[in-house]
Amino acid sequence: MIAKSTKISEIVEKHPDIVEILINDYGFHCFGCFASHFETFEQGALVHGYTPKEITAMLKKLNQLLKKGSL
């Protein structure tokens, strides 16, 4: 599961298939950035203009996909 506090680099390591969804569906391009090693999902999303409500919705969708094994 991905939480707001999950480091971006950890997401890439554990769930590499999710990167394509984040890029294509949300324009979330933080994965090659040096900050991805210490920045959380929430911090990255906030920096890129997402609201807390949007972040919660993103995480819900992503975690549903992971739970279903769709990735």
Side-chain angles (χ1 to χ4, degrees):
M1 299 294 284
I2 300 170
K4 291 178 182 180
S5 61
T6 305
K7 301 275 189 263
I8 296 169
S9 61
E10 189 179 328
I11 295 169
V12 175
E13 290 173 23
K14 291 184 177 181
H15 312 289
D17 293 338
I18 220 165
V19 173
E20 186 175 331
I21 292 169
L22 288 169
I23 291 170
N24 293 331
D25 292 359
Y26 300 107
F28 202 85
H29 299 272
C30 304
F31 310 104
C33 176
F34 175 74
S36 71
H37 295 284
F38 58 86
E39 195 167 64
T40 66
F41 182 87
E42 181 178 40
Q43 290 169 328
L46 288 170
V47 166
H48 290 286
Y50 286 96
T51 66
K53 185 176 179 179
E54 291 170 324
I55 294 167
T56 299
M58 287 169 63
L59 287 171
K60 182 178 178 181
K61 178 182 176 182
L62 295 171
N63 284 317
Q64 285 175 341
L65 291 170
L66 289 171
K67 189 175 181 179
K68 290 180 184 177
S70 299
L71 298 174

